[in-house]
Amino acid sequence: GAGVSQSPRYKVAKRGQDVALRCDPISGHVSLFWYQQALGQGPEFLTYFQNEAQLDKSGLPSDRFFAERPEGSVSTLKIQRTQQEDSAVYLCASSLGRGLPGYTFGSGTRLTVV
Amino acid sequence: AQRVTQPEKLLSVFKGAPVELKCNYSYSGSPELFWYVQYSRQRLQLLLRHISRESIKGFTADLNKGETSFHLKKPFAQEEDSAMYYCAMGTNAGKSTFGDGTTLTVKP
């Protein structure tokens, strides 16, 4: 596609519910990144894929967070048993190479846990 | 530890005035530095990166390794420059570290 597409744009989840956030990167971009952005803060790194390989998941805040990119294209970020502190905008970005040319971001998914 | 600091949360200037958005970083290696911009109701987008030494929309940024800074500058601000600006530092490991952003308001 022409850009990075994320869905849903907004998600309201009850505490304890599982959620799945989808990212469709730019075709041909081998690198895919997930970031979490809390209100009033900059994006914080969660995880990084190069094709289907998850090369870095050091930013995932707990084992409730899980990401996959099974065919090296679309990626899903799953959060199990959501907590209020998970409320944030989740940004997906893709890039040629390792991200050093810079990222192309999606519009993000705003997750609100009530 | 990798860190990016943008000391100003808010910056307000008048149209036609010079503007400088500050960014300082800490990293033991040789990072790549970027500026991203987010206009109202739009997605975060890359503005410029230091390795390109380019000028985009009249903005420039020079990497000062001695002061570990990468300040964003424009000699004459325009109202359409009003936006949120994020400084970011990338490494060979792939991930980037972002500052908390500066909201620039250009008044008519």
Side-chain angles (χ1 to χ4, degrees):
Chain A
V4 178
S5 178
Q6 290 188 248
S7 61
R9 285 296 308 275
Y10 304 93
K11 176 70 179 176
V12 177
K14 291 185 177 178
R15 193 168 52 182
Q17 187 179 352
D18 297 350
V19 298
L21 313 180
R22 176 189 167 104
C23 173
D24 202 338
I26 291 175
S27 177
H29 277 194
V30 299
S31 295
L32 185 146
F33 303 81
W34 284 98
Y35 281 80
Q36 180 191 58
Q37 186 172 22
L39 192 62
Q41 296 182 20
E44 297 236 354
F45 172 79
L46 292 176
T47 187
Y48 158 46
F49 290 86
Q50 189 165 344
N51 296 305
E52 68 279 4
Q54 190 173 21
L55 299 187
D56 187 344
K57 54 181 181 179
S58 62
L60 296 177
S62 77
D63 58 8
R64 296 186 294 104
F65 286 70
F66 172 76
E68 60 183 4
R69 193 186 184 198
E71 296 177 0
S73 178
V74 171
S75 176
T76 303
L77 176 67
K78 297 179 180 177
I79 308 173
Q80 297 177 323
R81 304 180 304 281
T82 52
Q83 303 294 315
Q84 279 194 312
E85 62 262 28
D86 300 335
S87 295
V89 175
Y90 290 85
L91 296 169
C92 176
S94 70
S95 177
L96 293 168
R98 284 189 163 220
L100 293 183
Y103 298 152
T104 302
F105 279 94
S107 296
T109 294
R110 182 178 295 279
L111 172 66
T112 303
V113 181
V114 298
Chain B
Q2 300 172 24
R3 189 170 186 160
V4 174
T5 303
Q6 294 180 249
E8 303 138 329
K9 270 281 191 195
L10 303 171
L11 184 62
S12 182
V13 301
F14 283 101
K15 176 183 171 182
V19 63
E20 180 179 66
L21 291 89
K22 291 184 168 50
C23 172
N24 289 90
Y25 67 90
S26 62
Y27 181 60
S28 56
S30 295
E32 296 285 337
L33 276 299
F34 304 87
W35 277 98
Y36 288 85
V37 60
Q38 187 165 28
Y39 300 103
S40 178
R41 289 185 291 278
Q42 294 188 27
R43 63 185 66 188
L44 197 56
Q45 58 185 281
L46 179 66
L47 180 62
L48 56 79
R49 54 194 181 115
H50 93 269
I51 199 168
S52 301
R53 302 190 64 81
E54 57 204 344
S55 173
I56 303 293
K57 300 184 180 184
F59 284 98
T60 59
D62 288 320
L63 178 61
N64 185 322
K65 292 186 178 180
E67 295 182 359
T68 59
S69 69
F70 188 57
H71 303 326
L72 184 67
K73 300 176 185 179
K74 185 169 182 176
F76 308 103
Q78 303 299 314
E79 288 181 67
E80 55 266 30
D81 296 329
S82 295
M84 174 75 91
Y85 291 81
Y86 292 95
C87 181
M89 174 174 68
T91 69
N92 275 330
K95 65 183 179 184
S96 284
T97 301
F98 286 78
D100 283 337
T102 297
T103 301
L104 173 66
T105 302
V106 181
K107 297 180 285 189

